[in-house]
């Protein structure tokens, strides 16, 4: 059996190695148009910032090492230019010699990945405008930084690459501005949780211009003029386009394969395309979202590697199936760790789901053990069924392990209330006896049993305008005097029982504290004394972070960089 693979990075290399492990006698040929195979896309920004200093560390294998171990022929600088399913061949061009030839196959695997999205803007082909997708892109940008010594950079786009590159450029002493059309960074996060990311970026000197669109570039001597939609002009020594990726599927389209969202390749759960004996995987394919069941494009390394393994199994006589992509991810943002899994509240509502959320801010480990830091968790679940839909966490140590627990719970179809039952490892340096994941489960179980009723930040405007409501802040007097929401009366929780007569029983009571714990205790006191009491989801710390960010976004939108 002869297998031809188009693309030798995540999916292509995984599929080739797995096929060899299952079939020692198969003939396997991989065509890769770049000069590198099996390289670490996710590590490229860290090479720019000198966190990774050895360029060879970016490539997990070379064509020679791959052949030596797996007897797979890796042909780099070879671009597949056409597919011919009717005669089961592909056209290939040797980019070094210019030679063009056809290669036959019994099975064909398409793993072309995605290319950086490049809108048709004036000046986009200028020398100072970069993308970051391949090893060659990385070396080109690195060489420019080392030789030209730029002092300023504009990044168009605030996704994974944009944020990681912003941090690494900033660590090199380069002034960084991020410009993007959406009003919050990192689309997998809700706007409220993205506020923590915004604040961390600003804390480290990265300027954010959100709700803006780049409309073109112009040479200006040694610098570049970045033109924005509001007629503002930014000046920078270099620009990086990081506004997303587009499936690289022109070959599939020309060959007549069925295409889906943004011309991605349609595959079934065996990763088979619409044409027999052709498989596809990675960033180029459309998948089902594991939570919603809807068609989706999810460009992550984990799913691509799994899909490559599934293809190999099926080519070699197995029956493996891809269950869908859940979108689990984690990113380092300077000192902050931000992670997400499943779907966020915004997308859940867009999908027509009736959802609720809990927001909590526990310590990452036992409070009495030195070095503890607050993490903020938002867990999204479906009302009535309590199906667990997604989670977002921002914080420091321990964020990654909590998101993995929640990801596993979603994959196992656990109800959100079942989070309270998980038996998680505990020792003071690592967690608390009631782990944050358990705490989320306790809160959701309280909602299910009518013990906890919540109000959310989105309710604040209407609550402040409601004359038939009591607004209660149960923090200490000093906390309240330091900062509070206008209109909220202060009665510390430990004094609440002695002041119940001051609260009207025929009005709903909306309660807030610093983290949500004391206000929850206050609502239990009130409820059991005949009051209709609601606890604020997230606490005053959450409110301050979100409102601080919103005020800055409004100022940035109004007056650009003049802050």
């Amino acid at each position: 059996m002869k297998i031809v693979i188009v693309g030798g990075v995540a999916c292509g290399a995984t599929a080739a190695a797995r096929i060899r492990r299952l079939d020692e006698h198969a003939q396997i040929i991989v065509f890769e148009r770049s000069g590198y195979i099996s390289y670490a896309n996710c590590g490229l920004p860290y090479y720019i910032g000198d966190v990774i200093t050895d360029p060879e560390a970016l490539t997990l294998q070379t064509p020679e090492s791959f052949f030596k171990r797996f007897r797979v022929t890796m042909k780099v600088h070879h671009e597949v230019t056409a597919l011919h399913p009717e005669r089961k061949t592909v056209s290939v061009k040797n980019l070094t010699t210019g030679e063009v030839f056809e290669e036959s196959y019994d099975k064909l695997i398409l793993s072309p990945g995605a290319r950086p999205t490049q809108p048709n803007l004036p000046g986009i082909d200028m020398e100072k405008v970069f993308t970051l997708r391949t090893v060659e892109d990385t070396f080109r940008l690195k060489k420019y930084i080392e030789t030209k010594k730029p002092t300023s950079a504009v990044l168009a786009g605030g996704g994974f690459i944009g944020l990681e590159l912003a941090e690494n450029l900033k660590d090199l002493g380069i002034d960084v501005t991020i410009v993007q059309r959406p009003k919050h960074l990192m689309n997998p996060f809700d706007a409220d949780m993205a506020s923590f990311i915004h604040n961390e970026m600003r804390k480290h000197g990265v300027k954010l211009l959100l709700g803006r669109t780049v409309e073109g570039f112009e040479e200006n001597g040694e610098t570049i003029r970045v033109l924005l939609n509001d007629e503002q002009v930014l000046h920078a020594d270099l620009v990086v386009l990081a506004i997303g990726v587009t499936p690289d599927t022109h070959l599939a389209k020309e060959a007549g394969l069925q295409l889906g969202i943004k011309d991605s390749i349609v595959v079934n759960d065996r990763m088979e395309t619409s044409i027999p004996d052709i498989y596809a995987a990675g960033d180029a394919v459309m998948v089902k979202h594991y939570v919603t069941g809807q068609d989706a494009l999810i460009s992550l390394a984990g799913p691509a590697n799994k899909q490559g393994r599934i293809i190999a199994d099926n080519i070699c006589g197995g029956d493996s199936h891809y269950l869908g992509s859940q979108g689990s991810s984690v990113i380092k943002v300077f000192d902050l760790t931000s992670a997400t899994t499943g779907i966020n509240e915004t997308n859940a509502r867009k999908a027509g789901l009736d959802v609720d959320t809990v927001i909590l801010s526990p310590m990452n480990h036992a409070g009495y053990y030195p070095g503890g830091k607050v993490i903020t968790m938002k867990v999204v679940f479906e009302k009535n069924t309590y199906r667990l839909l997604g989670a977002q966490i921002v914080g420091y140590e321990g964020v990654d392990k909590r998101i993995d627990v929640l990801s596993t719970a979603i994959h196992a179809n656990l109800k959100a209330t079942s989070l309270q039952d998980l038996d998680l490892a505990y020792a003071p340096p690592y967690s608390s006896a009631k782990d944050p994941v358990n705490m989320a489960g306790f809160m959701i179980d309280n909602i299910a049993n009518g013990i906890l009723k919540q109000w959310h930040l989105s309710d604040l405007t209407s609550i402040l305008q409601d004359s038939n409501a009591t607004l209660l802040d149960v923090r200490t007097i000093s906390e309240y005097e330091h900062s509070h929401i206008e209109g909220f009366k202060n009665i510390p929780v430990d004094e609440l029982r002695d002041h119940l007569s001051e609260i009207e029983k025929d009005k709903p009571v909306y309660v807030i504290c610093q983290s949500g714990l004391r206000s929850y205790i206050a609502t239990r006191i009130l409820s059991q004394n005949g009051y209709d009491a609601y606890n604020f989801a997230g606490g005053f710390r959450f409110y301050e972070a979100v409102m601080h960010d919103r005020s800055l976004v409004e100022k940035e939108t109004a007056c650009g960089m003049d802050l």
Side-chain angles (χ1 to χ4, degrees), residues 390-409:
Q392 301 153 65
I393 311 178
V394 293
Y396 303 93
E397 294 177 4
V399 167
D400 52 341
K401 73 174 181 177
R402 269 72 186 221
I403 208 69
D404 284 342
V405 170
L406 289 161
S407 174
T408 303

Tab-separated table of all heavy atoms in Angstrom, residues 390-409:
chain	number	residue	atom	x	y	z
A	390	GLY	N	-19.134	24.585	29.434
A	390	GLY	CA	-17.813	25.182	29.236
A	390	GLY	C	-17.310	25.845	30.493
A	390	GLY	O	-18.030	25.972	31.493
A	391	ALA	N	-16.059	26.272	30.427
A	391	ALA	CA	-15.447	26.949	31.568
A	391	ALA	C	-14.312	27.830	31.081
A	391	ALA	O	-13.669	27.539	30.062
A	391	ALA	CB	-14.932	25.937	32.585
A	392	GLN	N	-14.078	28.916	31.826
A	392	GLN	CA	-12.949	29.813	31.592
A	392	GLN	C	-12.308	30.098	32.947
A	392	GLN	O	-13.014	30.292	33.934
A	392	GLN	CB	-13.433	31.125	30.973
A	392	GLN	CG	-14.170	30.947	29.652
A	392	GLN	CD	-15.168	32.062	29.405
A	392	GLN	OE1	-14.791	33.213	29.254
A	392	GLN	NE2	-16.450	31.725	29.359
A	393	ILE	N	-10.982	30.109	32.955
A	393	ILE	CA	-10.260	30.363	34.206
A	393	ILE	C	-9.103	31.305	33.906
A	393	ILE	O	-8.374	31.126	32.926
A	393	ILE	CB	-9.694	29.062	34.829
A	393	ILE	CG1	-10.763	27.958	34.897
A	393	ILE	CG2	-9.149	29.336	36.224
A	393	ILE	CD1	-10.248	26.650	35.449
A	394	VAL	N	-8.921	32.303	34.764
A	394	VAL	CA	-7.742	33.159	34.697
A	394	VAL	C	-7.119	33.217	36.083
A	394	VAL	O	-7.815	33.218	37.092
A	394	VAL	CB	-8.081	34.580	34.200
A	394	VAL	CG1	-8.523	34.557	32.756
A	394	VAL	CG2	-9.152	35.230	35.063
A	395	GLY	N	-5.799	33.219	36.126
A	395	GLY	CA	-5.124	33.248	37.421
A	395	GLY	C	-3.664	32.915	37.261
A	395	GLY	O	-3.033	33.284	36.256
A	396	TYR	N	-3.133	32.182	38.205
A	396	TYR	CA	-1.704	31.925	38.216
A	396	TYR	C	-1.478	30.419	38.327
A	396	TYR	O	-1.933	29.671	37.474
A	396	TYR	CB	-1.048	32.753	39.323
A	396	TYR	CG	-1.342	34.228	39.122
A	396	TYR	CD1	-2.435	34.843	39.727
A	396	TYR	CD2	-0.551	34.988	38.259
A	396	TYR	CE1	-2.727	36.186	39.488
A	396	TYR	CE2	-0.839	36.327	38.019
A	396	TYR	CZ	-1.928	36.917	38.636
A	396	TYR	OH	-2.219	38.226	38.382
A	397	GLU	N	-0.826	29.929	39.338
A	397	GLU	CA	-0.591	28.495	39.445
A	397	GLU	C	-1.917	27.753	39.623
A	397	GLU	O	-2.816	28.214	40.324
A	397	GLU	CB	0.329	28.210	40.628
A	397	GLU	CG	1.741	28.765	40.462
A	397	GLU	CD	2.594	28.515	41.693
A	397	GLU	OE1	2.097	27.859	42.622
A	397	GLU	OE2	3.733	29.001	41.730
A	398	GLY	N	-2.000	26.597	38.983
A	398	GLY	CA	-3.167	25.746	39.169
A	398	GLY	C	-4.284	25.951	38.176
A	398	GLY	O	-5.262	25.197	38.188
A	399	VAL	N	-4.172	26.947	37.297
A	399	VAL	CA	-5.218	27.174	36.304
A	399	VAL	C	-5.299	26.014	35.324
A	399	VAL	O	-6.383	25.525	34.999
A	399	VAL	CB	-4.966	28.497	35.549
A	399	VAL	CG1	-5.850	28.599	34.303
A	399	VAL	CG2	-5.216	29.678	36.468
A	400	ASP	N	-4.139	25.560	34.850
A	400	ASP	CA	-4.121	24.526	33.824
A	400	ASP	C	-4.726	23.217	34.321
A	400	ASP	O	-5.466	22.538	33.596
A	400	ASP	CB	-2.698	24.294	33.302
A	400	ASP	CG	-1.691	24.037	34.407
A	400	ASP	OD1	-1.966	24.375	35.575
A	400	ASP	OD2	-0.604	23.491	34.108
A	401	LYS	N	-4.438	22.842	35.566
A	401	LYS	CA	-4.969	21.556	36.033
A	401	LYS	C	-6.483	21.629	36.245
A	401	LYS	O	-7.182	20.646	36.004
A	401	LYS	CB	-4.252	21.079	37.292
A	401	LYS	CG	-4.568	21.811	38.576
A	401	LYS	CD	-3.887	21.104	39.747
A	401	LYS	CE	-4.188	21.762	41.085
A	401	LYS	NZ	-3.576	21.030	42.209
A	402	ARG	N	-6.992	22.809	36.663
A	402	ARG	CA	-8.450	22.920	36.835
A	402	ARG	C	-9.173	22.863	35.494
A	402	ARG	O	-10.221	22.245	35.371
A	402	ARG	CB	-8.795	24.216	37.577
A	402	ARG	CG	-8.875	24.096	39.078
A	402	ARG	CD	-7.522	23.927	39.698
A	402	ARG	NE	-7.528	23.678	41.129
A	402	ARG	CZ	-6.674	24.227	41.979
A	402	ARG	NH1	-5.762	25.090	41.546
A	402	ARG	NH2	-6.697	23.898	43.253
A	403	ILE	N	-8.596	23.511	34.464
A	403	ILE	CA	-9.270	23.477	33.168
A	403	ILE	C	-9.251	22.064	32.600
A	403	ILE	O	-10.200	21.635	31.924
A	403	ILE	CB	-8.646	24.486	32.178
A	403	ILE	CG1	-9.704	24.938	31.150
A	403	ILE	CG2	-7.457	23.909	31.442
A	403	ILE	CD1	-10.794	25.786	31.705
A	404	ASP	N	-8.200	21.309	32.883
A	404	ASP	CA	-8.154	19.920	32.407
A	404	ASP	C	-9.198	19.055	33.109
A	404	ASP	O	-9.799	18.172	32.486
A	404	ASP	CB	-6.756	19.344	32.606
A	404	ASP	CG	-5.755	19.851	31.577
A	404	ASP	OD1	-6.190	20.356	30.527
A	404	ASP	OD2	-4.546	19.749	31.822
A	405	VAL	N	-9.415	19.297	34.391
A	405	VAL	CA	-10.466	18.563	35.109
A	405	VAL	C	-11.829	18.884	34.502
A	405	VAL	O	-12.645	17.995	34.235
A	405	VAL	CB	-10.449	18.906	36.608
A	405	VAL	CG1	-11.688	18.338	37.303
A	405	VAL	CG2	-9.192	18.349	37.264
A	406	LEU	N	-12.083	20.169	34.259
A	406	LEU	CA	-13.369	20.575	33.702
A	406	LEU	C	-13.536	20.079	32.272
A	406	LEU	O	-14.638	19.684	31.859
A	406	LEU	CB	-13.499	22.092	33.770
A	406	LEU	CG	-13.689	22.629	35.192
A	406	LEU	CD1	-13.344	24.107	35.268
A	406	LEU	CD2	-15.110	22.383	35.672
A	407	SER	N	-12.451	20.074	31.498
A	407	SER	CA	-12.504	19.529	30.146
A	407	SER	C	-12.874	18.051	30.169
A	407	SER	O	-13.702	17.585	29.376
A	407	SER	CB	-11.150	19.723	29.457
A	407	SER	OG	-11.129	19.077	28.204
A	408	THR	N	-12.268	17.324	31.077
A	408	THR	CA	-12.571	15.895	31.205
A	408	THR	C	-14.016	15.682	31.621
A	408	THR	O	-14.704	14.773	31.112
A	408	THR	CB	-11.620	15.243	32.233
A	408	THR	OG1	-10.273	15.469	31.828
A	408	THR	CG2	-11.877	13.750	32.339
A	409	ALA	N	-14.502	16.515	32.535
A	409	ALA	CA	-15.887	16.393	32.991
A	409	ALA	C	-16.863	16.629	31.836
A	409	ALA	O	-17.873	15.927	31.704
A	409	ALA	CB	-16.145	17.382	34.121
